Amino acid sequence: MRSWPEVYLPPAPANIKAPELKLLDSYKGSLVPVNQRVVTSYVCGITPYDATHLGHAATYLTFDLIHRYLLARGQELLFAENITDIDDPLLERANRDKVDWQTLATSQIDLFVGDMTALHVIPPKYYRGVIESMDLIDEFIQTCQSNSLSYFVDRDLYLDLSKVEEFPGNLPMPLADAIALFKERGGDPERSGKRHPLDPLLWRAHRENEPQWESSAGAGRPGWHIECTAIALRSLPRGEHTSITLQGGGSDLIFPHHYMTALQAKALTKVDFATAYVHAGMIGLDGEKMSKSKGNLVFVSKLLASGVRASAIRVALMLEHYQSDRMWDEELLTTANQIINRLEFNLARNEVAPTLSVIQDIVEALSNNLDTPKVLKLLGQWCERTESGVAGGSTGELSRALDTYLGIVL
Ligand code: ZN
């Protein structure tokens, strides 16, 4: 799959001391240092049927801040992202709207790529669709079968979780809650013939009116979690202690998707999957979670078409911490525009308050699990000092740093 255009990152000021990045791991509940020389990052991509709403934007902009920080600090980044271009929700939407599923997917992938380009998101080095990855997914399906990690129910292949050492000891919640959530998020805990309610589907046998591919488990299509396990393990080079460094996405992926992805990877490689599992909070609208089913999605493309600047969307999503679930409203955009206008106004002055010290403080705030509310507060204080006549800074230096670390291009 063709990724979007590269983003130019101005070099960080030479005398900035950037601490190692620490990110909160959703399963461990503690901060994990990301200090590897080469960082491999796998961020779960979209299912292309409703790209790109603000929930997506919040997730991808969060990982963009992480990637920018690592690159500015001189760490090497290998970033992979998938596109779930065949899955139940895509087929259901295409059926409902009486459109061809491939036409729907192609149009939404184009829209997503356009939105990511407009938001100056650093593109993945490996951007892979599921359809183009069937061979490598089949490789993992075969390994599951030959290692007796799987079983059939009718013609559908499931992973046998009882063969996985870590399960159920590492479940992030009580079993009953996990089963309920598994069902809510597309799982089939009640299907008779399954050995455990949480056993995930590896391969779904062909059904009438559904697309199909050949595999060692017969004709059909892959289950959701094995797609990401295979694409991540085959796109990124294995690390020293874990297969990859970062596994990321929205917090609705903590369970079951990322849990199952990691469990499958461990069962197949015998190595822990990721060093850190990082998740962005959910974005709601008018007091409700933003979701396809509620039909209350706010699309990035519509905001941009109505004249909203990409930097305003970025700043609006930085006003609260990336991990908090938050509401979107017009007021956020108004506040973001005020911040941007004030920065622009001050950066146009001949004399500005010292800039290197504020950049140093911003870098330290980012290193602490991306404390963006603090970053915006620091920028507000710099504006105040500049407005009160303090001098000694360089406008170019701060403008470049806003671009490098925050993706804000004024
Ligand atoms: Zn995924």
Side-chain angles (χ1 to χ4, degrees), residues 16-25 30-41 43 61-77 122 245-247 275-279 321-323 360-372 375 404-406:
I16 287 294
K17 289 180 187 59
E20 65 183 14
L21 178 64
K22 291 195 183 72
L23 294 170
L24 188 77
D25 182 294
S30 57
L31 291 176
V32 174
V34 187
N35 51 17
Q36 296 76 359
R37 192 184 60 76
V38 180
V39 173
T40 51
S41 171
V43 180
L61 289 174
T62 294
F63 286 91
D64 191 55
L65 288 182
I66 293 173
H67 296 158
R68 283 170 181 271
Y69 189 87
L70 296 169
L71 289 168
R73 195 168 174 266
Q75 288 167 265
E76 191 182 332
L77 173 72
I122 295 169
T245 317
L246 296 175
Q247 158 78 306
T275 305
Y277 299 86
V278 180
H279 297 94
H321 192 258
Y322 79 90
Q323 273 162 330
Q360 180 64 46
D361 291 345
I362 287 172
V363 163
E364 280 169 28
L366 286 170
S367 76
N368 180 24
N369 196 28
L370 304 182
D371 189 351
T372 56
V375 167
T404 306
Y405 290 104
L406 306 175

Side-chain angles (χ1 to χ4, degrees), residues 214-235:
E214 283 307 319
S215 83
S216 53
R221 58 188 173 91
W224 179 25
H225 316 303
I226 195 69
E227 298 168 352
C228 280
T229 306
I231 294 175
L233 290 177
R234 278 287 174 269
S235 302

Side-chain angles (χ1 to χ4, degrees), residues 40-94:
T40 51
S41 171
Y42 184 84
V43 180
C44 281
I46 54 158
T47 299
Y49 66 102
D50 65 351
T52 313
H53 60 72
L54 280 171
H56 294 133
T59 297
Y60 299 116
L61 289 174
T62 294
F63 286 91
D64 191 55
L65 288 182
I66 293 173
H67 296 158
R68 283 170 181 271
Y69 189 87
L70 296 169
L71 289 168
R73 195 168 174 266
Q75 288 167 265
E76 191 182 332
L77 173 72
L78 295 172
F79 165 31
E81 184 172 317
N82 72 304
I83 311 120
T84 313
D85 52 3
I86 180 69
D87 200 13
D88 295 341
L90 173 65
L91 296 175
E92 282 159 17
R93 174 63 62 96

Side-chain angles (χ1 to χ4, degrees), residues 19-294:
E20 65 183 14
L21 178 64
K22 291 195 183 72
L23 294 170
L24 188 77
D25 182 294
S26 306
Y27 299 119
K28 295 185 189 88
S30 57
L31 291 176
V32 174
V34 187
N35 51 17
Q36 296 76 359
R37 192 184 60 76
V38 180
V39 173
T40 51
S41 171
Y42 184 84
V43 180
C44 281
I46 54 158
T47 299
Y49 66 102
D50 65 351
T52 313
H53 60 72
L54 280 171
H56 294 133
T59 297
Y60 299 116
L61 289 174
T62 294
F63 286 91
D64 191 55
L65 288 182
I66 293 173
H67 296 158
R68 283 170 181 271
Y69 189 87
L70 296 169
L71 289 168
R73 195 168 174 266
Q75 288 167 265
E76 191 182 332
L77 173 72
L78 295 172
F79 165 31
E81 184 172 317
N82 72 304
I83 311 120
T84 313
D85 52 3
I86 180 69
D87 200 13
D88 295 341
L90 173 65
L91 296 175
E92 282 159 17
R93 174 63 62 96
N95 276 340
R96 193 201 72 180
D97 296 350
K98 306 213 176 341
V99 292
D100 173 59
W101 65 273
Q102 280 165 305
T103 309
L104 174 63
T106 306
S107 68
Q108 295 301 299
I109 292 168
D110 287 349
L111 198 57
F112 178 71
V113 164
D115 290 344
M116 292 298 105
T117 308
L119 290 171
H120 306 294
V121 172
I122 295 169
K125 184 174 173 65
Y126 309 101
Y127 186 46
R128 296 211 161 135
V130 168
I131 293 173
E132 64 187 356
S133 309
M134 286 298 173
D135 286 359
L136 51 104
I137 293 168
D138 187 35
E139 217 184 285
F140 284 85
I141 301 270
Q142 274 182 48
T143 313
C144 285
Q145 291 182 93
S146 54
N147 291 345
S148 306
L149 292 170
S150 57
Y151 63 93
F152 282 98
V153 176
D154 298 331
R155 292 172 303 127
D156 299 330
L157 189 70
Y158 285 86
L159 181 75
D160 187 346
L161 287 173
S162 72
K163 305 277 176 64
V164 183
E165 203 185 303
E166 289 73 20
F167 179 82
N170 67 351
L171 267 176
M173 62 192 77
L175 181 62
D177 295 352
I179 290 173
L181 203 54
F182 184 71
K183 186 175 178 186
E184 191 186 310
R185 294 184 173 155
D188 54 359
E190 286 146 4
R191 182 170 186 186
S192 72
K194 281 181 71 173
R195 294 180 187 167
H196 191 286
L198 291 179
D199 286 349
L201 180 71
L202 291 170
W203 190 261
R204 175 180 159 89
H206 179 239
R207 312 289 203 271
E208 216 183 314
N209 299 324
E210 282 192 9
Q212 57 178 315
W213 290 266
E214 283 307 319
S215 83
S216 53
R221 58 188 173 91
W224 179 25
H225 316 303
I226 195 69
E227 298 168 352
C228 280
T229 306
I231 294 175
L233 290 177
R234 278 287 174 269
S235 302
L236 297 167
R238 299 279 169 90
E240 205 180 329
H241 305 292
T242 56
S243 289
I244 65 169
T245 317
L246 296 175
Q247 158 78 306
S251 61
D252 54 346
L253 299 184
I254 293 175
F255 189 87
H257 184 52
H258 285 176
Y259 175 82
M260 294 297 179
T261 303
L263 213 60
Q264 286 169 348
K266 178 78 188 279
L268 288 159
T269 63
K270 312 291 176 218
V271 174
D272 284 338
F273 181 53
T275 305
Y277 299 86
V278 180
H279 297 94
M282 296 286 109
I283 306 293
L285 184 73
D286 303 328
E288 288 201 338
K289 188 184 155 188
M290 212 180 272
S291 73
K292 307 118 201 174
S293 50
K294 293 206 174 82

Side-chain angles (χ1 to χ4, degrees), residues 294-332:
K294 293 206 174 82
N296 61 350
L297 303 175
V298 177
F299 292 99
V300 169
S301 51
K302 289 205 174 136
L303 287 177
L304 293 170
S306 72
V308 175
R309 295 164 68 176
S311 291
I313 297 175
R314 277 189 177 261
V315 170
L317 290 169
M318 285 164 50
L319 285 162
E320 279 189 65
H321 192 258
Y322 79 90
Q323 273 162 330
S324 57
D325 292 336
R326 50 227 145 108
M327 288 297 148
W328 177 264
D329 57 37
E330 282 294 314
E331 229 172 276
L332 284 183

